[in-house]
């Protein structure tokens, strides 16, 4: 067992066979069981799901063996499923928690252990801290050789005694999706869409939900291949070259990509152009506000586009800005019954569903926008710009030398320039990092990574040339 088990904002991730071993997965499961049993009340219930990575089903079974042996009733998925499907199952079954064996969009060598809260969102940091404390206690017991640290029983024995129950979470999930989206209308669309499942857990789901009618759904990378050959399973432009080529070749309406655990989405327009995450978020807001005529709060992280706030002003709905991470977005979605919440990574959550990212639902909503308006994605983007103006965005990640971090941090603490790149600074926002909001509506944001020796610089303005200019000026302010 290794002592390097640290949960981030969305679970513990590690390299398979290095830190990500069966012993360490069982250790996480035992710590979680101890925490849940210590919470008192009835017998806890936990949903376990897993993605298409190497041995994910075996790591899920190992987790079930430990939880079941600790007196926890386990619903173990019968197949690979997206993370949002597990989140939906946790809420639907009124379970106490969920576990997803996944490393999301990480490279193939990685796997992970995500913990879900009873509402389906990522477990809050106070829960994670308690689980980590239990892990630390167990590791001390291991090192001292005192007592049996992990309780486990064979899976088949637990199934026979009813402690572990095989469960297909896709059935209620699909029923829930069909209450939110008119899938019959989608099936009746004339044309083709191309879906890139990136060898991940979303494979086949668009066909199951919207296929079988006039709409032709062509799927790329739909088979299971834990090596993710030739790609990194993150649906961003550089990773979607095949999809970007195939959409215009097929004369398709659009392309949709989902990441390894299908909680993120990427969109390609009819010409093969990748729409960045900010454009997609703004278009989904426009779809809900302008096309479906719905109203409600919008929750966005500070690194997302100002287009969201401008849409909120136009349609008279509140827009709340949070720190980076869905752990900040989800509670506000629940508190305000928010219409939509989103972040820079391409993860979006919706009212009437679970307060967690769902790439499948986001992709279906985008397709439904094309159906309802009769307009291709490129025309919808221009329509959006007609409402809020043209917005261009980019980000650079700068590696820091060992001695640079303290200097950069000190510079950021005192950063309050009068201008950046020749434009006057209107205000400084320190919600998360340091954001310089310029009087012309542009902004430059600095954030130091909490896990890597990096400083990230984000820019949004009105042209690609101006983006490059502000990125250069922003870097110069740090002396890098």
């Amino acid at each position: 067992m290794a002592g390097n088990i640290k949960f981030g904002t969305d679970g513990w991730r590690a390299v398979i066979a290095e830190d990500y071993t069966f012993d360490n997965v069982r250790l996480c499961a035992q710590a979680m069981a101890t925490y849940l049993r210590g919470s008192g009340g009835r017998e806890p219930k936990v949903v376990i799901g897993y993605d298409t990575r190497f041995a994910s089903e075996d790591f899920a079974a190992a987790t079930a063996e430990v939880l079941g042996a600790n007196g926890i009733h386990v619903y173990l998925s019968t197949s690979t499923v997206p993370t949002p499907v597990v989140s939906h199952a946790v809420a639907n079954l009124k379970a106490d928690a969920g576990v997803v064996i996944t490393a999301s969009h990480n490279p193939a060598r990685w796997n992970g252990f995500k913990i879900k809260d009873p509402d389906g969102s990522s477990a809050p940091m106070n829960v994670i801290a308690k689980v980590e404390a239990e892990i630390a206690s167990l590791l001390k017991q291991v090192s001292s050789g005192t007592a049996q640290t992990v309780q486990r029983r064979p899976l088949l024995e637990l199934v026979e005694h009813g402690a572990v129950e095989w469960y297909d979470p896709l059935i209620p999930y699909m029923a829930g999706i069909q209450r939110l989206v008119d899938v019959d209308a989608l099936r009746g669309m004339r044309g083709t869409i191309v879906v890139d499942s990136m060898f991940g857990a979303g494979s086949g789901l668009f066909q199951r939900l919207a296929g079988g009618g006039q709409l032709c759904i062509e799927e790329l990378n739909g088979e299971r291949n834990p090596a993710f050959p030739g790609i990194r399973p993150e649906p961003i432009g550089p990773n979607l070259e095949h999809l970007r080529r195939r959409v215009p070749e097929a004369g398709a309406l659009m392309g949709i990509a989902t990441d390894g655990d299908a909680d993120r989405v990427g969109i390609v327009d009819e010409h093969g152009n990748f729409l960045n995450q900010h454009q997609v978020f703004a278009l989904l807001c426009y779809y809900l506000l302008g096309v479906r005529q719905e109203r409600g709060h919008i929750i966005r992280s500070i690194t997302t586009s100002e287009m969201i706030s401008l849409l909120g002003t136009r349609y008279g709905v509140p827009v709340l800005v949070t720190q980076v991470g869905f752990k900040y977005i989800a509670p506000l979605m629940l508190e305000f019954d928010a219409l939509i919440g989103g972040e820079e990574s391409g993860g979006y959550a919706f009212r009437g569903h679970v307060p967690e990212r769902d790439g499948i639902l986001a992709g279906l909503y985008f397709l439904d926008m094309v159906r309802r308006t009769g307009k291709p994605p490129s025309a919808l983007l221009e329509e959006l710009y007609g409402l809020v103006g043209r917005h261009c965005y980019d980000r650079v990640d700068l590696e820091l030398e060992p001695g640079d971090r303290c200097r950069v941090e000190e510079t950021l603490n005192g950063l309050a320039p009068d201008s950046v790149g020749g434009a006057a600074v209107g205000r400084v926002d320190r919600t998360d990092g340091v954001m310089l909001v310029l009087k012309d509506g542009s902004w430059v944001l600095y954030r130091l990574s909490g896990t890597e020796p990096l400083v990230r610089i984000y820019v949004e303005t009105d042209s690609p040339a101006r983006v490059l200019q502000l990125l250069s000026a922003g870097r110069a302010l740090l002396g890098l």
Side-chain angles (χ1 to χ4, degrees):
M1 295 182 183
N4 188 26
I5 300 176
K6 184 69 177 173
F7 282 71
T9 56
D10 198 15
W12 168 58
R13 301 181 197 184
V15 174
I16 299 168
E18 290 186 11
D19 284 340
Y20 200 90
T21 63
F22 282 102
D23 280 344
N24 281 337
V25 167
R26 292 186 182 109
L27 200 68
C28 291
Q30 182 63 54
M32 187 174 171
T34 304
Y35 161 71
L36 289 171
R37 295 297 298 181
S39 300
R42 59 181 173 78
E43 176 191 62
K45 298 189 294 184
V46 175
V47 180
I48 301 176
Y50 54 92
D51 69 6
T52 57
R53 289 171 183 272
F54 175 74
S56 281
E57 63 268 52
D58 300 315
F59 290 116
T63 303
E65 288 174 345
V66 173
L67 293 179
N70 279 270
I72 292 171
H73 188 83
V74 173
Y75 297 91
L76 180 58
S77 179
T78 54
S79 64
T80 60
V81 287
T83 290
V85 173
V86 179
S87 292
H88 183 273
V90 173
N92 185 61
L93 292 167
K94 296 180 170 56
D96 297 271
V99 173
V100 193
I101 303 298
T102 180
S104 190
H105 61 280
N106 281 45
R109 298 186 331 136
W110 294 70
N111 213 329
F113 191 103
K114 289 185 178 182
I115 301 176
K116 295 296 176 183
D117 218 30
D119 56 33
S121 64
S122 295
M125 292 312 293
N126 66 314
V127 170
I128 294 302
K130 291 174 182 176
V131 172
E132 286 183 330
E134 294 293 347
I135 291 172
S137 176
L138 289 166
L139 285 170
K140 284 183 182 178
Q141 294 177 41
V142 170
S143 61
S144 64
T146 60
Q148 180 181 351
T149 56
V150 175
Q151 300 179 52
R152 52 183 289 224
R153 291 171 61 187
L155 181 62
L156 292 180
E157 181 183 312
L158 291 166
V159 171
E160 183 179 337
H161 288 87
V164 175
E165 179 180 340
W166 293 110
Y167 180 71
D168 183 357
L170 277 170
I171 295 172
Y173 171 82
M174 291 176 65
I177 292 294
Q178 289 166 4
R179 286 191 289 270
L180 295 169
V181 185
D182 188 347
V183 293
D184 288 332
L186 295 181
R187 292 184 186 120
M189 292 177 71
R190 293 184 180 275
T192 298
I193 64 167
V194 184
V195 172
D196 187 350
S197 298
M198 306 193 88
F199 303 109
S203 295
L205 272 183
F206 283 98
Q207 179 62 39
R208 290 180 65 176
L209 284 161
Q214 292 187 106
L215 180 66
C216 175
I217 300 177
E218 179 182 325
E219 187 167 22
L220 309 177
N221 303 319
E223 67 275 19
R224 182 178 183 180
N225 191 327
F228 299 112
I231 65 170
R232 174 171 173 159
E234 182 178 10
I236 57 176
N239 300 338
L240 297 175
E241 290 184 7
H242 188 185
L243 179 64
R244 293 169 66 187
R245 288 196 310 270
R246 184 57 194 155
V247 167
E249 286 174 358
L253 299 169
M254 62 181 291
I256 304 172
T258 52
D259 70 331
D261 67 334
D263 65 352
R264 301 184 185 187
V265 73
I267 300 294
V268 170
D269 76 8
E270 74 278 12
H271 303 301
N273 299 312
F274 175 72
L275 302 187
N276 68 43
Q277 299 92 315
H278 305 277
Q279 293 166 333
V280 171
F281 188 12
L283 283 166
L284 287 170
C285 291
Y286 176 49
Y287 162 71
L288 294 170
L289 295 167
V291 179
R292 290 176 60 137
Q293 295 294 310
E294 297 184 26
R295 295 294 181 267
H297 282 67
I298 297 174
I299 317 296
R300 71 175 182 93
S301 64
I302 194 169
T303 53
T304 57
S305 175
E306 187 63 18
M307 290 189 287
I308 313 302
S309 294
L310 292 171
L311 283 171
T313 299
R314 183 177 185 88
Y315 288 100
V317 300
V319 177
L320 305 181
V321 181
T322 73
Q323 293 174 254
V324 174
F326 237 82
K327 64 180 179 179
Y328 299 109
I329 294 171
L332 292 175
M333 291 201 69
L334 291 169
E335 180 180 350
F336 294 101
D337 190 25
L339 186 61
I340 183 173
E343 61 181 1
E344 180 210 2
S345 68
Y348 317 106
F350 305 92
R351 185 166 64 193
H353 196 42
V354 288
E356 188 59 286
R357 297 159 293 195
D358 191 334
I360 303 297
L361 180 55
L364 289 171
Y365 270 160
F366 203 104
L367 178 61
D368 192 53
M369 176 168 47
V370 171
R371 178 190 70 82
R372 288 182 185 233
T373 62
K375 298 174 182 177
S378 64
L380 288 168
L381 182 60
E382 290 304 313
E383 194 168 293
L384 172 71
Y385 287 159
L387 295 173
V388 298
R390 187 171 297 273
H391 288 66
C392 300
Y393 167 92
D394 203 359
R395 177 185 113 185
V396 293
D397 294 1
L398 302 177
E399 291 194 20
L400 298 175
E401 297 297 326
D404 281 346
R405 185 180 177 94
C406 289
R407 180 185 63 78
V408 169
E409 190 167 7
E410 185 176 335
T411 299
L412 289 176
N413 286 338
L415 193 64
D418 293 329
S419 65
V420 182
V425 174
R427 62 184 174 89
V428 179
D429 186 331
R430 299 183 184 271
T431 299
D432 191 344
V434 180
M435 174 182 274
L436 307 177
V437 183
L438 309 185
K439 290 184 177 179
D440 65 5
S442 307
W443 52 264
V444 180
L445 172 65
Y446 303 89
R447 292 182 67 249
L448 281 162
S449 170
T451 57
E452 301 172 89
L454 295 174
V455 61
R456 296 187 168 98
I457 306 177
Y458 310 73
V459 164
E460 184 176 64
T461 187
D462 58 1
S463 73
R466 181 74 171 142
V467 167
L468 294 176
Q469 181 186 1
L470 287 177
L471 282 172
S472 177
R475 181 171 182 167
L477 285 173
L478 294 185
L480 294 174

